Amino acid sequence: MQTLSSNASFGGIQHVIQHPSTSCNCDMTFGLFLPEEARDGPVPVLWFLAGLTCTHENAMTKAGAQAWAAEQGIALVFPDTSPRGDSVADDDAYDLGKGAGFYVDATQEPWAANFQMWQYLSQELPDLLAAHFPLDMARQAITGHSMGGHGALTLAMRLPGRFASVSAFAPIAHPTASDWGRKQLTAYLGTNEASWQPHDATLLMREAGFDGPVLIDQGTDDQFLDLLMPEALSEAMAKRRQPGSFRMQPGYDHSYFFIASFMEEHVNFHADALWSI
């Protein structure tokens, strides 16, 4: 591993770290915020998965999460959204290829050689964090924005017992029925739609739900509402009687101004779940 930067932040340290990834067959970069309490021993972990076109840096610098995480004594992990490098396949469109990994393990060419984001986030990066940093991996929670909200919800529901809580900001809620999903799932996983279903939060909610609390925030003025399909996930949560909240926030759009406005509530929501374990 190589530490690219370390900055004091709210009494803790914000690191940016690069490492060779066996899953993605390239160097991967992530941000890690360690609160002051990490100097004395392992602390709980909150993951933030970012959206289309983003890197590890967007939420790390724009969400304002460090202040609230420091107050609660929890760490933050900001992974990248896709593999990177000159040898990694890409597409001219912003919503496919680099910056658009969709948190799946690609089976189709040219993506399969590097786009193994599910494996990377569900196994490789957690193992690396557990081995090298003062993190209490028995206390994990996860959140994300847009494509990252899709990733957070699917990881949480498909890995029962891993996360104490899950939240999302404007998630891509029903990708198997949306142009933000069908295009990418076809490219990465092929045309057999049965292989898409484990990566659809609405379908997972209908089938199994989540074994903990859920918090979803969606802006009413989001310019991508038709692509996100929040009503599908809301209906699935209501039908399953899933513990949690689905909140439509008046006047908010898809930007990080929206995320920063509610970040404190999300961090506190996860801290309550993490410290109750």
Side-chain angles (χ1 to χ4, degrees), residues 6-179:
S6 295
N7 299 93
S9 179
F10 297 98
I13 301 290
Q14 176 64 64
H15 299 290
V16 175
I17 296 165
Q18 188 176 80
H19 71 103
S21 167
T22 56
S23 300
C24 297
N25 195 28
C26 65
D27 286 343
M28 295 292 286
T29 303
F30 64 92
L32 174 64
F33 171 75
L34 293 174
E36 185 176 6
E37 288 83 351
R39 298 169 188 168
D40 299 321
V43 295
V45 184
L46 174 60
W47 297 74
F48 189 109
L49 306 188
L52 286 168
T53 75
C54 293
T55 69
H56 68 281
E57 189 173 18
N58 295 73
M60 187 181 78
T61 59
K62 295 180 180 180
Q66 290 89 344
W68 314 120
E71 190 173 279
Q72 295 290 348
I74 62 178
L76 299 167
V77 180
F78 302 98
D80 203 347
T81 55
S82 77
R84 307 281 176 175
D86 294 340
S87 63
V88 174
D90 201 8
D91 191 271
D92 290 337
Y94 75 94
D95 59 355
L96 189 67
K98 294 178 186 177
F102 250 76
Y103 304 106
V104 303
D105 284 347
T107 59
Q108 307 299 301
E109 297 301 332
W111 314 107
N114 301 103
F115 282 72
Q116 303 295 312
M117 290 301 293
W118 180 271
Q119 174 76 7
Y120 177 68
L121 286 174
S122 65
Q123 183 172 334
E124 182 179 0
L125 186 53
D127 287 350
L128 182 147
L129 292 170
H132 295 282
F133 300 98
L135 302 175
D136 183 354
M137 302 304 282
R139 300 174 189 259
Q140 296 185 66
I142 192 166
T143 188
H145 172 231
S146 194
M147 180 186 74
H150 138 81
L153 288 163
T154 56
L155 280 160
M157 285 187 275
R158 287 183 57 195
L159 299 172
R162 172 78 63 92
F163 301 103
S165 51
V166 61
S167 72
F169 299 88
I172 299 175
H174 196 11
T176 62
S178 169
D179 287 343

Side-chain angles (χ1 to χ4, degrees), residues 174-258:
H174 196 11
T176 62
S178 169
D179 287 343
W180 265 4
R182 295 187 63 84
K183 171 184 176 178
Q184 294 85 357
L185 295 173
T186 300
Y188 296 141
L189 302 178
T191 57
N192 181 0
E193 296 190 18
S195 67
W196 305 356
Q197 294 178 8
H199 300 285
D200 187 305
T202 294
L203 299 182
L204 292 171
M205 183 60 68
R206 290 173 185 170
E207 293 167 5
F210 176 63
D211 56 348
V214 177
L215 173 61
I216 310 293
D217 273 320
Q218 171 64 63
T220 62
D221 286 6
D222 194 312
Q223 57 270 47
F224 303 114
L225 269 177
D226 289 344
L227 292 166
L228 300 171
M229 301 183 69
E231 66 283 351
L233 180 58
S234 176
E235 290 169 5
M237 288 177 64
K239 188 170 183 179
R240 175 153 288 280
R241 300 177 182 175
Q242 169 69 47
S245 300
F246 195 111
R247 310 189 302 190
M248 297 297 297
Q249 302 290 2
Y252 285 91
D253 60 16
H254 201 69
S255 71
Y256 269 88
F257 296 108
F258 160 58

